[in-house]
Amino acid sequence: MTALDETTTAPAAEIGSPRKRKEDQRLITGRTRYTDNITLPGMLHLGMVRSPLAHATITGIQTDDAKASPGVVAVYTGADLAAAHGSLPNAWPVTPDQKAPEHHAVAVDRVAFAGEIVAVVVARSPREARDATELVEVDYDDLEPVLDLEAAAAGPPYAHPDLGTNESATWIFDSAEAGTGSDVEAAIDQARGDGVVIERTYRQQRLIPAFMEPRSTVVDPTSEQITMWSATQVPHILRLMLALTCNISESKLRVIAPDVGGGFGGKLQVTPEEVTTLLVANRLGKPVKYTETRSESLVAGHHGRDQVQRLTLSATKEGIVTGLKVDLLANMGAYLGLVTSGVPVLGAFMYNSIYKFPAYRFTCHNIFTNLTWTDAYRGAGRPEATFAIERLMDDLAAELQMDPIELRRKNWIRHEEFPFTTVAGLEYDSGNYEAATDKALELFGYDELRSEQQRRRESNDPVQLGIGTSTFTEMCGLAPSRVLGSLAYGAGGWENAQVRMLPSGKVEVVTGASAHGQGHETAWSQIVADRLGVAFEDVEVLHGDTQVSVKGLDTYGSRSLSVGGIAVVKAADKVIEKARHVAAHLMEASEDDLEFSGGRFSVKGTDKGMAIGEIALAVFAAHNLPDGMEPTLDSDATYDPVNFSFPHGTHLAAMEVDTETGAVKLRKYVCVDDVGIVVNPLIVEGQVHGGLVQGIAQALFEEAVYDDQGTLVTGSFVDYLVPSAADVPDFITDRTETPSTTNPLGVKGVGEAGTIASTPAIVNGVLDAIRHLGVQDLTMPCTPSRVWQALQSREQGEPASVQPTNPEQTSGNLNSSGVISPEQGPRTEGGA
């Protein structure tokens, strides 16, 4: 401890304090500045003409009527704009021979999905632009659309005939070849003789990121530097990619992400609309804005998930897992977006999860179809992997007639075994699955609910009770750069921050991590307030502007705190060391004799001391600085982690299923997460709650459905079912704490945890309620109709599972890609 003046008290610790978010005052009161709020003098507006067909050749475009429409300034086709830009970027070519079609911002001679832009109208108002799009006449020659994922993998026909295949890339990890485990085929063969083999095919349906704020872009080219405002998660990456794609000097382009109303990966993209707005603004020399409608967001913004997972798990008869084989079909859709091809590869490292598999093989086939392209969606590969392994573990427990928790205990990494190198080659640095599970079981009342479940079964209660379990871990903080390089990712994983000590004693923090709802301004203020000993209110956080925050790699993959936050810590520590040098000089003491605490340097054994604010003012004045020192305490730091971080947790769901109607009710949900050291419990709680709802939505509500021609029939929130607060119960949440050993704060990620863990907990719970009635599988979302059909199939002696159907959103059967059979059409009815 340091000696403080009697009148000085050390500020209370900020890290761990449930501070209300600084951002909320302006967000809640409507003083935000979303991109669509921006109005510039003489600004023009864009309307996009979109293809109604999933696959067709463009044979002609008539624009005369649109050009003559009131308020219209210009109409451009793909041919008009093609020479001004290159193919939209894919930053993650997962294999050297990856195949990718040319992707124009506006289609030139062929469309590859319904919703692709074929022309753009420029007008003086948004209404005039939209009205004129109806006057553009496009002639098409239909081509056969490729819609079903499994059929596309077999091919032909081809989504892009010039490629001669629907397979973009095949990526393989084999533990025997990598030296991280043994041969999986040998493990499976042995289990067929003296153990147990579980073979399953699971379907990850197509999902749509349903952020609150539709995407919007404004470009002002009227000064020497072009300025773009965009509702994006990635202003720094967007700036670089636009400069490369449009052949613009990066120094001549400024990208600003103002207040951004959610992203969930859906704004981790370089979009055709952003490129088009930039090209049109440059061509006309005037400010231009484009804001999508909600329907455009649903049909043309990238989608998530959409995989067929074929899995084989081997185990001993005692329940010890011996091998895991994953064969994955991943639907790229029509094009490769920024990280489309890498999303399933991220999941490859998580199928083994918390379990000690001795053998593992993962094969992923990236497949093109004539559907909207897919890319990152909250969790990006990790939810898919967790769903598969947690479903498999429940199926194995059922096969062995073993309690699902008991089976997991037999196989997970014990707390004393950390650090632990997994069969997938990752080193988990810390964890305690036992502690999280024990706490979750107690909060859940596991034994009491199992007893109730038994009573309901014995009494043939029409409403059966199921208990769903999900014990998970995930890899957070997309980094280190060397690891990403080994996976052919086109960028690094570092993050940058600056801490500026102002003469007034206030502090500015500049971060390259751009927030879109996470609470960076609050959490970063808490970190710096603790580190520098200044008041929380005296810290200002700046972000989201490439001219203010010059260096950065933005926000995705639960990397903000564990990468960007550590950069802030390191920059603050540099400020302290600079201030120490000055303090020693001013107090005529040795630096070794100085202690720093509570924002104050003091000389050991004396009452001499100086606050860091006093030092900042003295440095600004520069009247008496150490020789050779520049008059500034400002410091910046770039942090590149040595490892991912690995949060984990146990999630339990009590599900009630009405066997007469198929209605599903989430009665109780308990989760205990371990995210390391918590900076702000309120923010963590909010992230967990939001993540839970999105994971539950995949299990019970959401699905993008197409008709047999490739038209999205869930193109509005009438048909694409997003749960409301009324559809979920109050959650019971808690935490355990095993600090990360690889960063100085001991923090781990939290933004995606709820989404990753909750989906299998819910589906396992629904199946647990009706498995004893002969139902072995359900395809998400587990709507009442699907549950009812599964129960009816069982009663009629048919296989006790149900193929993808969704009468709430469609009439009749869908194939494995969520496409309506030719004889059926769409209709809407009730919720899940």
Side-chain angles (χ1 to χ4, degrees):
M1 297 293 292
T2 59
L4 300 176
D5 292 342
E6 291 182 3
T7 57
T8 305
T9 56
E14 284 291 343
I15 291 181
S17 174
R19 282 277 190 181
K20 292 183 178 179
R21 300 197 319 174
K22 286 184 173 183
E23 302 90 327
D24 287 347
Q25 181 64 27
R26 72 172 188 275
L27 293 173
I28 292 171
T29 59
R31 293 188 293 107
T32 52
R33 198 183 192 204
Y34 295 113
T35 303
D36 193 45
N37 297 139
I38 295 168
T39 300
L40 301 175
M43 187 169 70
L44 301 173
H45 299 266
L46 300 186
M48 303 298 178
V49 181
R50 297 183 183 275
S51 170
L53 303 176
H55 200 195
T57 300
I58 300 171
T59 59
I61 302 180
Q62 304 299 321
T63 62
D64 290 346
D65 289 348
K67 289 177 179 177
S69 183
V72 171
V73 174
V75 179
Y76 298 113
T77 66
D80 296 326
L81 301 175
H85 72 93
S87 182
L88 269 65
N90 170 245
W92 201 338
V94 294
T95 63
D97 60 350
Q98 173 179 285
K99 294 179 175 60
E102 189 80 5
H103 188 186
H104 295 282
V106 179
V108 176
D109 51 19
R110 186 174 59 86
V111 293
F113 72 98
E116 186 165 5
I117 303 169
V118 294
V120 55
V121 175
V122 190
R124 301 192 184 281
S125 72
R127 179 184 58 79
E128 289 169 327
R130 285 194 296 269
D131 288 348
T133 62
E134 302 294 328
L135 302 176
V136 176
E137 296 183 8
V138 184
D139 296 324
Y140 300 95
D141 278 348
D142 287 16
L143 298 171
E144 184 176 358
V146 177
L147 306 176
D148 179 80
L149 177 56
E150 292 178 280
Y158 301 125
H160 296 279
D162 54 312
L163 294 182
T165 180
N166 288 324
E167 186 160 305
S168 174
T170 296
W171 192 91
I172 300 172
F173 177 87
D174 191 302
S175 63
E177 295 177 2
T180 58
S182 54
D183 180 65
V184 74
E185 295 295 348
I188 292 170
D189 287 345
Q190 181 172 341
R192 292 192 193 280
D194 58 11
V196 178
V197 175
I198 301 290
E199 296 178 285
R200 297 289 186 269
T201 299
Y202 301 134
R203 175 70 190 166
Q204 286 281 325
Q205 79 268 39
R206 178 174 282 249
L207 302 176
I208 304 177
F211 31 71
M212 286 195 296
E213 176 205 17
R215 296 171 303 163
S216 180
T217 303
V218 174
V219 176
D220 183 2
T222 58
S223 63
E224 186 174 335
Q225 185 182 51
I226 302 166
T227 301
M228 171 185 282
W229 293 263
S230 183
T232 181
Q233 296 175 223
V234 288
H236 297 89
I237 292 174
L238 178 60
R239 178 191 186 215
L240 172 62
M241 291 300 179
L242 286 174
L244 295 173
T245 302
C246 300
N247 195 28
I248 297 171
S249 171
E250 194 176 353
S251 64
K252 299 295 185 183
L253 181 61
R254 177 185 184 184
V255 174
I256 301 171
D259 289 315
V260 176
F264 312 122
K267 293 172 183 172
L268 170 56
Q269 195 58 263
V270 178
T271 69
E273 293 82 3
E274 287 164 329
V275 172
T276 300
T277 307
L278 177 60
L279 296 177
V280 170
N282 279 348
R283 187 157 182 155
L284 295 175
K286 294 183 178 181
V288 174
K289 177 193 285 187
Y290 170 73
T291 300
E292 67 185 3
T293 65
R294 181 61 69 179
S295 293
E296 285 180 298
S297 176
L298 292 170
V299 74
H302 77 244
H303 295 174
R305 312 286 193 258
D306 202 348
Q307 298 177 358
V308 172
Q309 302 168 305
R310 300 176 179 131
L311 304 114
T312 305
L313 183 149
S314 61
T316 68
K317 291 181 179 179
E318 293 72 35
I320 304 299
V321 296
T322 60
L324 177 64
K325 184 169 70 171
V326 179
D327 290 298
L328 190 69
L329 295 180
N331 197 339
M332 304 290 96
Y335 297 106
L336 299 182
L338 198 61
V339 293
T340 301
S341 42
V343 167
V345 171
L346 273 180
F349 300 98
M350 286 284 101
Y351 278 85
N352 52 283
S353 188
I354 67 174
Y355 307 114
K356 294 183 286 189
F357 282 96
Y360 173 56
R361 181 180 171 88
F362 173 92
T363 304
C364 175
H365 301 277
N366 287 347
I367 305 297
F368 289 118
T369 60
N370 292 122
L371 303 175
T372 303
W373 79 89
T374 59
D375 209 302
Y377 177 63
R378 197 171 189 171
R382 279 84 44 82
E384 297 92 314
T386 300
F387 177 84
I389 188 59
E390 289 303 291
R391 284 291 314 277
L392 276 177
M393 294 301 283
D394 258 36
D395 284 354
L396 177 60
E399 178 75 17
L400 297 173
Q401 298 184 351
M402 186 180 296
D403 182 271
I405 297 292
E406 179 187 352
L407 177 71
R408 287 165 169 84
R409 288 188 193 276
K410 282 176 174 282
N411 289 287
W412 66 34
I413 305 159
R414 299 188 304 275
H415 70 275
E416 66 269 16
E417 294 178 289
F418 289 96
F420 185 91
T421 300
T422 74
V423 72
L426 295 182
E427 182 179 273
Y428 296 174
D429 64 315
S430 67
N432 192 329
Y433 310 138
E434 304 97 307
T437 301
D438 289 344
K439 181 175 280 192
L441 292 173
E442 180 181 354
L443 291 170
F444 192 63
Y446 186 82
D447 292 339
E448 293 85 348
L449 285 168
R450 283 292 183 202
S451 296
E452 180 185 344
Q453 179 186 55
Q454 187 60 33
R455 291 195 300 272
R456 290 196 185 199
R457 289 181 177 181
E458 291 171 353
S459 65
N460 292 319
D461 193 319
V463 178
Q464 289 291 302
L465 176 66
I467 296 173
T469 302
S470 175
T471 50
F472 83 105
T473 189
E474 57 157 325
M475 51 192 287
C476 287
L478 197 60
S481 296
R482 288 184 178 181
V483 172
L484 296 178
S486 71
L487 296 173
Y489 181 62
W494 52 265
E495 193 50 80
N496 181 263
Q498 303 169 43
V499 175
R500 302 170 182 166
M501 199 74 213
L502 305 179
S504 61
K506 312 292 186 183
V507 183
E508 286 181 344
V509 178
V510 182
T511 175
S514 176
H516 45 278
Q518 292 87 347
H520 290 178
E521 293 174 35
T522 302
W524 276 214
S525 294
Q526 290 180 268
I527 291 169
V528 171
D530 259 7
R531 215 74 181 181
L532 297 184
V534 299
F536 169 80
E537 295 77 12
D538 288 346
V539 183
E540 186 77 18
V541 178
L542 308 176
H543 62 88
D545 183 339
T546 62
Q547 192 155 291
V548 175
S549 170
V550 179
K551 294 182 286 187
L553 284 173
D554 306 316
T555 296
Y556 40 86
S558 297
R559 72 188 302 272
S560 292
L561 180 58
S562 61
V563 185
I566 305 306
V568 171
V569 168
K570 290 187 171 296
D573 287 347
K574 288 184 178 181
V575 169
I576 293 169
E577 290 313 303
K578 285 185 179 181
R580 182 186 301 277
H581 188 45
V582 178
H585 175 76
L586 294 175
M587 291 190 288
E588 298 180 338
S590 166
E591 290 185 36
D592 294 338
D593 289 336
L594 293 186
E595 294 179 332
F596 181 72
S597 179
R600 185 175 179 84
F601 288 95
S602 58
V603 181
K604 296 176 185 177
T606 74
D607 59 359
K608 272 185 164 183
M610 291 187 73
I612 197 167
E614 297 176 77
I615 299 169
L617 182 58
V619 169
F620 170 75
H623 295 159
N624 184 16
L625 294 181
D627 291 342
M629 181 174 181
E630 296 178 354
T632 180
L633 297 181
D634 298 353
S635 300
D636 75 288
T638 298
Y639 176 66
D640 197 342
V642 298
N643 196 2
F644 301 96
S645 71
F646 297 97
H648 67 84
T650 296
H651 289 226
L652 300 169
M655 307 298 300
E656 292 184 335
V657 178
D658 189 326
T659 59
E660 295 177 344
T661 66
V664 175
K665 177 183 177 182
L666 172 53
R667 172 174 147 185
K668 186 176 186 179
Y669 197 99
V670 168
C671 65
V672 175
D673 289 299
D674 191 322
V675 297
I677 301 297
V678 170
V679 172
N680 187 314
L682 283 181
I683 291 177
V684 168
E685 194 81 352
Q687 289 288 319
V688 170
H689 280 205
L692 290 177
V693 174
Q694 276 185 284
I696 292 166
Q698 178 172 9
L700 298 179
F701 293 88
E702 296 184 27
E703 183 177 32
V705 179
Y706 289 83
D707 68 15
D708 66 297
Q709 295 302 305
T711 302
L712 183 70
V713 298
T714 52
S716 77
F717 284 156
V718 173
D719 308 293
Y720 188 82
L721 303 178
V722 178
S724 71
D727 296 308
V728 293
D730 290 337
F731 304 121
I732 300 172
T733 65
D734 208 334
R735 293 187 301 277
T736 55
E737 188 175 287
T738 54
S740 172
T741 63
T742 61
N743 67 70
L745 284 184
V747 296
K748 304 176 183 180
V750 69
E752 295 161 308
T755 302
I756 290 168
S758 58
T759 306
I762 297 296
V763 177
N764 280 341
V766 175
L767 277 169
D768 188 56
I770 56 178
R771 195 189 293 270
H772 69 291
L773 299 176
V775 177
Q776 302 302 316
D777 191 23
L778 289 166
T779 301
M780 294 186 293
C782 299
T783 60
S785 60
R786 286 185 176 167
V787 176
W788 184 84
Q789 287 179 38
L791 289 164
Q792 295 306 301
S793 297
R794 176 264 311 171
E795 289 181 356
Q796 296 165 13
E798 298 174 10
S801 62
V802 61
Q803 294 301 310
T805 60
N806 198 345
E808 282 78 18
Q809 298 173 326
T810 61
S811 172
N813 289 331
L814 311 178
N815 64 24
S816 65
S817 287
V819 179
I820 304 174
S821 310
E823 67 273 12
Q824 286 135 5
R827 69 183 176 92
T828 62
E829 143 190 335

